[in-house]
Structure formats: C-alpha cells, structure tokens
Amino acid sequence: MAGALASRANPLISSLPSFLTWRRLGFRTICSGRLGHLSSSPDVSDPQSSPGAKFLQTFTEEFEVGSHSITLETGKIARFANGSVVLAMEETKVLSTVASAKGDGVRDFLPLTVDYQEKQFAQGVIPTTFMRREGAPKERELLCGRLIDRPIRPLFPPGFYHEVQVTAYALSSDGKQDPDVMAANATSAALTLSDIPWGGPIGVIRIGRIDGQFLINPSMAELNLSDLNLVYACTRDKTLMMDVQAREISENDLKAALRLAHLEAVKYLEPQLKLAAKAGKKKKEYKLSMISNATLEKVKGLAEARIEAVFTDPSYGKFERGEALDKITQDVKKVFEEECNEESLKVLPKAVDTVRKGVVRKRIIEKELRVDGRHLDEVRPLYCESGNLPILHGSSLFSRGDTQVLCTVTLGAPGDAQRLDSLVGPSTKRFMLHYSFPPFSINEVGKRGGLNRREIGHGTLAEKALLAVLPPEEDFPYTVRVNSEVMASDGSTSMATVCGGSMALMDAGIPLREHVAGVSVGLVTEVDPSTGVVKDYRILTDILGLEDHLGDMDFKIAGTRKGVTAIQLDIKPAGIPLDIICECLEPALRGRLHILDRMERDINAPRTQEDRNSPRLANMKFTNDSLRRLIGPQGATRRKIEEETGARISVSDGTLTIHAKNHTIMDKAQDMVEFIIGREIEVGGIYKGIVSSIKEYGAFVEFNGGQQGLLHISELSHDPVSRVSDVVSLGQKLSLMCIGQDVRGNIKLSLKATLPHKEAKSSGVQGSSPPVKPPSNVWASVGAMSNQDSKFEESLAEEGENEETPTSLSPPSILIRSVDECDEEEGSSKLGEELEVDTGSVTSRREKVSGPGSKSKKFPHLKTAKDSGLLSGTGFSSRKIDSASNSQATGKNNKGAKEKDRDGMRKSAKSLKLGDKLVGKVHQIRAHGLVLDLGGGVHGMYKFKTKGRKDFDVGEALQVECSSFSTKGIPVMNLLEDA
C-alpha cells in the first residue's frame, strides 16, 4: 500500500530498478527541496504514527532546592551527543553536552575541554559587533568554563586519557539567575547519562547572605546586597570545589555556610540518578593507560633512593632540584633503552613522577618534614617594597621565598571602566586586576598568546580579594587597574598578587580600609586503597610549586584581619571530607596574620598625593545648556580642550568630570572649562577674563563663559589712573575679582583687589591680602569632589524672602548688560535720571532693561533684574497697573516740572530720618511693591513681604515708618500694621 502511494505520488520511481530507488538506499523521497533519512516504515495501525503524534521521547525530572523549582530534561535537544541535558530554573535554561573521542587515549594526561558560551539570543539581543555575531570567548565565559572543569576533572578514573569535550550554552536567560551554577549541574547530569566512565554525579550550589541570613541559590538582585557569594561543589560525602567572594566574613560564619551548602548541594544527586536510570547509557569499557606493577617496582629500585636524597637536602633550590631529578630520570631511561623495554619507556615519566610523589608524601606524613626543610605551618621568608617605581601612580614588589610579583596601579576616569557584555551582572567594571605569567618567570621559552584560562582565573581571584576593601564608588569614582607581573614563580603567585596589589593600592593613595593578604594551604593524605577513607593527613601552610603538584589540594585563602574576602579550592583526588577543609582555615588565618604584619611594616596607610605626579579628578555641576555649549557641535569644543590640556572630560546627567594626570593639567583644564561655561558668580570670587572694549570710564571684560563685566577706572589700580588704556589693552587677559553690581546692573570687577595693597600714608596700616581662588576639591577629599556650591543661588532665594532692602555687596540677582546698552546710555547727564520713580521715567527704563538682549540666553542660571523684581536697586517691578492714570500723569509732567519735583523730593527726602512715622498714600501698585506718595513731592517705596498683605488700592492711606534708604536716596518704608 505504501509502495503504491509512493508510485502514484512520483511515477518516475516506478520506472527505476528497485536498487536505485531512494527508498532502497534508505532515503526519503524528495519533498520541498529537502532530503532526509527514512525511519522505519510507519505502521498505519500504530496511533503514534498518525499525523501530529509526538516523535521525540523526552525524559524529565523535577525537584526543588531552596525556594526554586528545577527541571532536568533529556531526549529533546542534542540527541546525537553522548550525553545532553537541559536544566531549567524559572525562565533561565542551560544546555550542556558531552562527547568523547574514539581514539586509544595513549597519553599521560586527561585532555578535558570545557567550553561555556553565552550567546546574545538568550536575551533577545543582536550582538553589537561588526559581524553581528559572537566572537572570541569573553573573560566571564572562560571563568564559567573553569567553574565547570574544576569539580568534574577529579572524578575521571586514573588512566582515563581519552579526549572529552563539554559544551554548555545558555539557551534563555531572564537575568535573575546566574547560569554558571546551572551549567555545572547540567554537565554533571550529562556525564551521568553518557557512557563515559565518571565517578559522579555531583551537586553545585550557590550560597549568599543578607543581614546574617543565608540564601540558597540567590538571585542577581539578592547577590548585590549579599556579603557572601559561595559556590560549592561536592559528591555525597566529599568536597570537590569551592569558590568564595566575601566582605570580610569570619571563619566561623564561613564554616556554617559550607555545612549548609553541602546539605543543599546533595539534593541535586538523586534526580540525576533517576534520570540516568530512565535514559542513561551503559558505561563503556575504555582502555586505561595504567602503569604495570613490574615497571613501577623497577623504577622504584633504580631511582627511589636517589630521589629521596635530593628531597632531603634543603640546600637545593628550585632549579637545582629540578636538574638533579631530571638527571635521575635520564639514567633510568638509559637502563630501559639497554633492555629494549618499550612498554616501560612509554610510561617512564609518569612512573618517575609517581615515585617522587610517594617519597615526598611519606616524609611529610611520617616525619613532618617538607622539601625545603620548613615546619608544616611555617611561611617562607618575606620581602616587601612599595613605591619602587615612583613615577607610576602606585607600585610594589612582593616576594615570598622564590616567588616574586611586581604590582602596579593605574588610575583613570570613570569613562575608562571596562564595559561588560554578559547575560547577567553589571554592565561596567571600574576595578580591574590583570595577572600575567610570562615564560621567563619559570626559566622557559614560550609565546605570548591571547586570553589564558589560568591567568584569567588567578587574576579574578586576586581581584575578588581586593574588591572587598575598596571605597564605594560614590566616595571614590576613579577607575582602577592593577597589573600583576610575575617575576619568578615557585608556588602561590595568585596570593602574592593579593599582597602586592594591596600594597600598590595604598602606595597610590587609594583609601583602602585595611590591607589584604593571601596564603595557599596544601594537604597530604594517606588513604585506605580498599575503602577510600582518609587514614592520616597533614596540612601545609604556604606550599611550594612542587608541593602543589605532588600534594592533594591547593586551598587559596585571602582576607584581612577581620575575615575572609576570597577563596579558591582545587583538589586532585576524588573529594576531600568537609571537616578537613574547615580545619585548614585556622592555619591559613595564622599565616595570613603573619604576612599582614610584614606588609604593614612597609606601608600601613594610603600615601598622600600632594608631592607626587598623581592623577586628579574633579566633578563639577552645570546646567544642561551649559554642558551642551561645552561639548560643542559634534564634540569639537570638548576635543579641543582635551588636545590642548591633555585632560579627559566626560559628561553625565548634569555633571562634568575632568580627569587629569597631575595638578597642573587639572588647573589648566578647569580654567578653560570655566572660561567657556562659566561658574556661579560670587562676590569675592576670582575670574579670568579678556578685555573686549575700552571706554573712558573703564573697560568691559568678557569672562566666565562669555559674560560681560565692567572694570571701572577706579578699580584698575591702587594709584590714580588718568586713562584706562594706560593700564589695560584690548584683548589683554586679566585675573579679576567680582566685587558686586553697580547701579546700572553691570557686574563690577576689580583689578586692584587682586593686587597687593599698599600702606596707607596717613595711618601706615597695611591692608589685608585679597581673597584667593579656593583650590579645587580633588583627590584628597574623595567624599567632597570639586562641586560648585549653590551659595549664589541660595542668596538669590534669600533676597526674595528678605524683608530689608539688600545692600550692594550682598549676592545680588545680576543684570547682564551688553556693551551696546551701556554705550546707548553713555550720554546720560546724571546717574539719578536712570532711577526716577515717576511713571514716565520708570516705564522708559523698563523698556530699556527688559528689551531684547537684556537677559542673555546663554546663561539661564543667572537672573536678570526683571526676573527678580529688582530695578537698579529700587526693589520693585516696572509693570504698569493703571495705564490710564499713568498716561495722564505723564502728560501733565514736563521736563522742568520733573526736575523741580525731583529736586524737591531729594531735598525733602534728606530731611527724613530712620524711624520717622508718617501717613503715605498708595501712588502706584507694582508687581513686587508699592510706590508711596509721602507728601511734598516725596515718593517712597514699600516692598511686599512673603506672607504679608498685598491687596492695596490706589489712593489708600497707610501708616508707614522709614526703615532705610536706597542707593539713590529713595526712602524705604515699612507698614506699621505689619509690626
């Protein structure tokens, strides 16, 4: 039936020999341009072969750990892999696959490769790279790969040297959970399902702590508040791996966290075993590269005594010891070559290494003697030196035994922070530690390549250790880069990096809370071969490279005197009991305190930076319009400042940040910024300006972001000046002091106030020195970065509420007047004519002041006299209320009458005294006050109070009291009913 249907669908098939048909060859027919393998013939009677029936068989296991529901799934994705599992927690899913090579595996190591990758599709994002695809592995991906590799590697059986590759992907991410721990558990499940011999499964878990309460698998938001980030991996009864970042957690609290982590991690084991029972493969018999007992015994007989003699001689250095051991290996090799023992020659290096391991471990267990003759808890000799490269921002040299590390610190602007592109975590990183392990440090020849997993791992460990003591970003906004260059290596270079990095940071003047030191602890165990139980063990403090290689554990612990900041645990056997791990914390603490004592003798507090070529960083607040003017079209103005000064400028949310290499560059950059943008004008402030025009009565100076100020002829010098051009010239640059505002509304500048005062001839008293520009708040007071305060703005607000008439030197609302306006009124005969309070003159004055250009659009942060309601010191607005009466009054007045009234007013005003009480009538109502008719042609003024009465009528009689006089002699009155 099926054949007839096929022939009817495609008649060409019926004309071909049967052995040439697609079906005969095991292929489906051509359909929709695709070609595929044909599965077994479908049975029409089978309900699962009907259209829409499920084709893939999927196996799942669901369980809970902490408050999270976790799902393991296999059979749907990556079915051809030796083992594949998708692990899901909420909306985050991770796929892990394993595969092994088909070769014979004849080598002396396990070629295990772990690749972890976070592709941007997991969050619905297209990569921003030029090719719009992911590139080389990022640091985070390498670190996650190491996190997976470290706990699974010890569980492969001895002699299993077949190539194994683990590939993990983040399929989807909601940003709440870190996929790294999920990928490690998925990898364990995939290895358990596969036919690869492996001693799992394992459980991997993350523990956090907020306010003393431990959290199981905390979210990324919770980790930001947590003082502990512990990743723990274990089998049912032994610890395999540990990775810790903490904020000085005590050893007792750490032990409690480890015991909780073990109880929660084992919850991952049973679901993996159940899934393997449903869909797992039978373990395959792989060829193991084992050393025969005969070969091992012969090597022992030839080399054991000589190897023991080398290890018992503490006079040997690292390379002398290595040369002696190599000579022993060559002598044994010659014996095997004479005997033509090819099988033993293949495993000779491994056999000699096994004998070495036995000799060293036996001496440590039985005699408690180490290779270099130290006690088990003894730290090697220390040497510390800070500031050895004085031209750098910070530097140090740290040596422990033969291990030597050179650390340098470079400070940068906030814009220098590293941009991160990962599925979870912050988008930038302001503290970076880069660890480098050049080949010469172990007297080898090698090439420098790209990112190295070992260097990335060691650098990240030291970075975590130091990050806990850095000041918060709001107090210390610098970007910090620490470079660690290993000069010589004989074990624990990462912990030497922690010590050297801490000293270099203090040498750079960074306010660390205290020093951080690190030490590596090792372990040598004696295990019952039949049961795998540890019978005896010894803990070693500050292990050598050889002790790391021949021992069972490398337990790196860094911290301060208060507690632990970072831990990394790697082991070689298939697990170590947790009790032994906890016991190692005590000797590590003693060794750490010993190292801290030595470091503090060299440098125990951050250095000051006044006399050093250290960088400066200043934050300044400006309006957005001012910042746009500073940046210029397409950033041209900012680039010009950076090119001329060498400083770096960044703008963010109303804040201008300047980063300079030294104090000189910072001053130069700040001067250019202040000249372009300007800063809030303060009486007594020093400003740099350029003479833009010269008049008979003074010079106009452009300063503070293009503003105009008047340098009167009387303020040029302490000596009398006949002509302005004798002292200043057009285009000349000057440093001037703001001394207030004149009656025309001009900003008053003074040159003589910045010059040394001369002794007065009459009294012989020397004047006080002029105020100087306050120094910029940079570097030293990290918590109070240079931030232009708002005293001037506060003074403007205070003036609106002040009940008395402001004095000329109080911080005024400044009226910015152009040179053209001043030229227009240069012909005025008398200054008093500008301030007439009668209707006609006030209206004319208002038109001049409030016309176009009276308030510069470039400087919205300054108020004009019109905005503040001050009219050349009169304190009230020129808004016309009663136009009919004003026009009528204007028509009645003529020039002679005005001058007569004005002279009479001035004469009568002089007869008034402070405290005189009289009755005045409301002559005019202005926006901010009243014009009062005091009788006899005398006009006074009354300024509205904030919470006082404002409902007055023209002609209303008021009882008033003379409280003060304006700069033009106009009486300022107070209402008696307000008293």
Side-chain angles (χ1 to χ4, degrees):
M1 183 66 177
L5 291 174
S7 298
R8 192 181 303 124
N10 194 345
L12 293 177
I13 296 180
S14 61
S15 63
L16 293 175
S18 62
F19 66 88
L20 292 179
T21 60
W22 293 103
R23 186 174 298 281
R24 185 74 176 178
L25 296 175
F27 287 92
R28 292 194 183 103
T29 56
I30 300 175
C31 180
S32 301
R34 291 191 294 256
L35 200 63
H37 282 283
L38 181 68
S39 60
S40 59
S41 299
D43 187 359
V44 179
S45 61
D46 187 0
Q48 291 190 356
S49 63
S50 60
K54 187 175 181 181
F55 178 73
L56 299 176
Q57 188 175 9
T58 305
F59 302 93
T60 61
E61 283 291 331
E62 295 184 5
F63 59 101
E64 290 186 358
V65 176
S67 60
H68 300 282
S69 177
I70 301 173
T71 302
L72 294 174
E73 181 184 274
T74 188
K76 181 184 290 187
I77 299 179
R79 297 168 56 229
F80 285 170
N82 200 329
S84 67
V85 170
V86 175
L87 188 146
M89 182 185 299
E90 297 178 356
E91 298 299 323
T92 301
K93 293 186 177 182
V94 176
L95 167 67
S96 183
T97 64
V98 296
S100 62
K102 305 296 189 292
D104 56 4
V106 178
R107 50 178 65 87
D108 60 351
F109 67 97
L110 172 62
L112 172 63
T113 304
V114 179
D115 294 320
Y116 172 84
Q117 192 169 16
E118 292 180 345
K119 295 194 175 183
Q120 296 300 304
F121 70 76
Q123 282 190 335
V125 176
I126 296 176
T128 57
T129 59
F130 178 77
M131 298 298 294
R132 294 299 185 268
R133 64 185 302 164
E134 288 78 13
K138 299 183 284 289
E139 283 190 15
R140 171 177 162 78
E141 293 173 328
L142 295 178
L143 293 172
C144 291
R146 280 173 52 88
L147 194 73
I148 300 170
D149 181 295
R150 287 157 53 196
I152 66 174
R153 185 179 290 271
L155 296 181
F156 287 95
F160 179 80
Y161 299 145
H162 294 263
E163 187 173 2
V164 177
Q165 185 175 28
V166 175
T167 306
Y169 294 99
L171 298 181
S172 66
S173 173
D174 58 5
K176 297 179 181 179
Q177 295 293 328
D178 196 327
D180 56 356
V181 171
M182 300 172 59
N185 285 294
T187 300
S188 172
L191 284 169
T192 304
L193 293 175
S194 71
D195 62 11
I196 302 172
W198 188 63
I202 66 172
V204 186
I205 199 165
R206 174 175 271 112
I207 300 292
R209 188 179 70 165
I210 300 178
D211 296 331
Q213 299 295 321
F214 291 113
L215 303 176
I216 310 300
N217 285 333
S219 64
M220 297 302 299
E222 290 171 333
L223 277 179
N224 292 333
L225 303 175
S226 174
D227 61 355
L228 173 65
N229 185 355
L230 163 65
V231 178
Y232 180 84
C234 65
T235 60
R236 193 171 297 278
D237 56 353
K238 291 184 178 180
T239 301
L240 288 169
M241 186 272 297
M242 187 194 312
D243 197 279
V244 175
Q245 180 180 2
R247 298 174 187 169
E248 298 177 291
I249 185 173
S250 66
E251 277 73 10
N252 291 333
D253 291 345
L254 181 59
K255 292 176 184 178
L258 292 175
R259 299 192 186 281
L260 174 63
H262 191 93
L263 293 176
E264 296 295 330
V266 296
K267 295 180 181 179
Y268 284 89
L269 306 183
E270 194 64 28
Q272 296 181 50
L273 295 175
K274 290 181 179 180
L275 189 66
K278 296 178 184 178
K281 300 177 182 179
K282 183 180 179 181
K283 295 301 181 182
K284 185 179 178 181
E285 295 291 336
Y286 284 86
K287 181 180 179 180
L288 303 180
S289 301
M290 304 297 293
I291 304 174
S292 65
N293 291 332
T295 301
L296 188 59
E297 291 298 327
K298 189 163 187 178
V299 172
K300 280 186 179 181
L302 294 173
E304 185 175 31
R306 297 176 61 187
I307 291 173
E308 187 172 359
V310 172
F311 285 138
T312 55
D313 188 352
S315 63
Y316 277 110
K318 175 179 179 178
F319 294 105
E320 293 81 5
R321 187 185 302 112
E323 291 174 358
L325 294 174
D326 288 341
K327 187 176 185 304
I328 295 173
T329 302
Q330 293 301 321
D331 293 341
V332 175
K333 182 179 179 180
K334 291 179 182 179
V335 174
F336 285 148
E337 287 176 346
E338 293 174 357
E339 297 177 355
C340 298
N341 191 342
E342 296 295 334
E343 181 180 355
S344 298
L345 286 173
K346 291 180 181 179
V347 297
L348 178 61
K350 197 72 175 179
V352 173
D353 190 67
T354 302
V355 174
R356 292 177 185 172
K357 186 174 182 179
V359 171
V360 173
R361 295 167 69 89
K362 183 179 179 180
R363 293 186 72 244
I364 293 175
I365 291 289
E366 295 181 355
K367 301 180 181 180
E368 295 189 355
L369 294 176
R370 302 173 66 172
V371 174
D372 56 355
R374 283 183 294 146
H375 298 295
L376 299 182
D377 60 350
E378 184 178 352
V379 178
R380 286 173 287 176
L382 301 172
Y383 174 77
C384 303
E385 178 183 342
S386 61
N388 52 307
L389 301 174
I391 196 172
L392 304 184
H393 299 163
S395 61
S396 69
L397 187 66
F398 181 86
S399 297
R400 183 171 53 219
D402 291 333
T403 296
Q404 186 182 67
V405 171
L406 173 67
C407 290
T408 62
V409 172
T410 306
L411 298 171
D416 293 327
Q418 181 182 359
R419 290 185 292 272
L420 304 177
D421 189 13
S422 59
L423 298 182
V424 295
S427 59
T428 59
K429 183 170 70 170
R430 72 182 185 98
F431 177 67
M432 301 162 284
L433 193 149
H434 296 154
Y435 169 96
S436 179
F437 192 91
F440 67 78
S441 64
I442 51 175
N443 195 25
E444 289 185 357
V445 176
K447 294 182 179 180
R448 301 296 298 162
L451 292 178
N452 182 282
R453 289 176 181 259
R454 180 181 179 276
E455 292 182 347
I456 293 295
H458 281 45
T460 301
L461 173 63
E463 182 180 293
K464 290 177 181 179
L466 295 172
L467 191 61
V469 296
L470 283 180
E473 186 172 1
E474 55 270 17
D475 295 338
F476 189 81
Y478 290 81
T479 296
V480 183
R481 183 192 184 210
V482 179
N483 264 79
S484 173
E485 303 290 335
V486 178
M487 299 289 104
S489 173
D490 191 14
S492 302
T493 53
S494 61
M495 294 295 96
T497 295
V498 173
C499 302
S502 180
M503 296 176 62
L505 289 171
M506 280 201 177
D507 182 61
I510 299 177
L512 301 185
R513 290 202 300 271
E514 54 183 312
H515 267 311
V516 183
V519 67
S520 186
V521 176
L523 180 70
V524 174
T525 60
E526 185 178 352
V527 180
D528 189 341
S530 59
T531 62
V533 177
V534 177
K535 298 189 300 183
D536 200 1
Y537 62 91
R538 296 291 184 272
I539 298 173
L540 312 177
T541 302
D542 184 23
I543 57 176
L544 297 172
L546 183 63
E547 293 171 335
D548 181 13
H549 173 68
L550 301 178
D552 295 330
M553 179 182 73
D554 185 9
F555 194 9
K556 302 180 180 72
I557 307 172
T560 65
R561 295 185 181 275
K562 297 179 181 178
V564 175
T565 59
I567 286 179
Q568 180 176 297
L569 170 65
D570 295 317
I571 64 172
K572 296 177 179 63
I576 295 174
L578 181 58
D579 290 339
I580 297 179
I581 299 296
C582 293
E583 186 180 344
C584 294
L585 295 175
E586 296 303 324
L589 174 59
R590 293 194 297 269
R592 188 169 78 239
L593 295 177
H594 172 73
I595 297 170
L596 287 170
D597 289 339
R598 179 61 184 86
M599 293 167 58
E600 290 173 355
R601 288 203 299 269
D602 183 80
I603 179 171
N604 59 6
R607 298 192 194 279
T608 58
Q609 299 298 315
E610 283 77 7
D611 301 329
R612 301 193 58 185
N613 190 29
S614 57
R616 296 292 191 273
L617 188 145
N619 289 335
M620 308 172 72
K621 293 288 186 181
F622 292 104
T623 63
N624 291 330
D625 290 339
S626 299
L627 293 178
R628 279 192 290 269
R629 189 168 69 255
L630 173 70
I631 296 173
Q634 298 181 352
T637 307
R638 177 172 61 180
R639 287 196 299 271
K640 180 181 179 182
I641 297 175
E642 292 178 341
E643 291 172 359
E644 292 184 4
T645 63
R648 300 182 63 180
I649 296 176
S650 60
V651 177
S652 174
D653 191 23
T655 301
L656 172 69
T657 301
I658 304 176
H659 177 264
K661 292 183 178 179
N662 52 51
H663 187 72
T664 303
I665 294 177
M666 173 61 73
D667 288 344
K668 187 176 180 181
Q670 282 185 322
D671 289 342
M672 292 190 68
V673 168
E674 290 177 358
F675 185 81
I676 294 173
I677 295 183
R679 65 178 193 263
E680 295 170 352
I681 299 177
E682 297 177 352
V683 175
I686 304 296
Y687 303 90
K688 294 183 178 180
I690 299 176
V691 178
S692 59
S693 65
I694 297 178
K695 306 296 178 184
E696 293 181 359
Y697 52 84
F700 282 95
V701 179
E702 183 179 347
F703 76 109
N704 202 44
Q707 301 177 29
Q708 291 283 344
L710 175 61
L711 176 60
H712 195 266
I713 189 172
S714 62
E715 296 295 334
L716 288 173
S717 174
H718 295 291
D719 299 325
V721 177
S722 59
R723 290 192 306 175
V724 178
S725 57
D726 293 340
V727 181
V728 297
S729 59
L730 197 64
Q732 183 179 355
K733 296 182 179 180
L734 301 172
S735 292
L736 306 169
M737 177 186 292
C738 176
I739 58 175
Q741 175 188 4
D742 66 11
V743 293
R744 294 174 179 261
N746 297 303
I747 301 172
K748 296 170 61 178
L749 301 175
S750 175
L751 178 62
K752 70 180 183 181
T754 63
L755 302 176
H757 284 219
K758 295 184 177 181
E759 292 186 359
K761 295 182 179 180
S762 58
S763 60
V765 180
Q766 185 174 355
S768 60
S769 59
V772 296
K773 178 181 177 180
S776 300
N777 240 346
V778 292
W779 180 254
S781 75
V782 180
M785 289 296 175
S786 181
N787 185 359
Q788 299 294 334
D789 56 20
S790 56
K791 292 181 180 179
F792 188 62
E793 293 180 2
E794 292 174 0
S795 66
L796 292 177
E798 290 173 1
E799 184 185 354
E801 300 175 0
N802 192 8
E803 305 304 336
E804 298 181 1
T805 303
T807 62
S808 60
L809 288 183
S810 63
S813 296
I814 295 177
L815 174 65
I816 301 176
R817 296 169 54 83
S818 65
V819 180
D820 295 336
E821 290 177 337
C822 294
D823 290 341
E824 181 182 344
E825 299 184 7
E826 247 184 10
S828 300
S829 60
K830 293 184 180 180
L831 198 59
E833 293 179 6
E834 303 293 335
L835 293 174
E836 293 185 9
V837 296
D838 65 313
T839 306
S841 60
V842 170
T843 303
S844 174
R845 175 62 177 161
R846 180 185 64 82
E847 292 174 354
K848 291 181 181 180
V849 173
S850 61
S854 64
K855 179 179 180 181
S856 176
K857 295 181 180 179
K858 296 182 180 180
F859 314 105
H861 60 286
L862 292 179
K863 295 182 179 180
T864 63
K866 178 182 177 182
D867 296 329
S868 62
L870 295 176
L871 184 58
S872 301
T874 58
F876 44 88
S877 172
S878 59
R879 184 168 61 92
K880 188 187 300 181
I881 302 299
D882 189 350
S883 59
S885 62
N886 288 340
S887 60
Q888 184 178 1
T890 304
K892 291 181 180 179
N893 289 332
N894 53 43
K895 184 176 180 181
K898 283 194 298 182
E899 291 192 5
K900 181 179 179 181
D901 291 343
R902 184 167 56 247
D903 292 339
M905 181 187 69
R906 291 173 180 170
K907 182 178 179 181
S908 301
K910 290 181 180 178
S911 63
L912 281 176
K913 298 180 181 179
L914 293 178
D916 286 351
K917 299 178 182 179
L918 63 159
V919 176
K921 292 184 179 181
V922 178
H923 180 66
Q924 289 182 2
I925 302 175
R926 304 291 178 85
H928 298 280
L930 305 174
V931 178
L932 300 175
D933 185 359
L934 304 179
V938 179
H939 285 169
M941 60 182 177
Y942 166 72
K943 185 177 179 181
F944 291 149
K945 297 183 179 180
T946 304
K947 298 181 180 180
R949 178 186 170 191
K950 297 182 181 179
D951 53 337
F952 298 93
D953 297 324
V954 176
E956 180 181 355
L958 302 174
Q959 291 188 355
V960 294
E961 179 182 5
C962 181
S963 62
S964 63
F965 293 89
S966 71
T967 56
K968 300 305 298 178
I970 300 174
V972 180
M973 315 302 291
N974 275 347
L975 290 181
L976 292 178
E977 62 186 49
D978 291 344

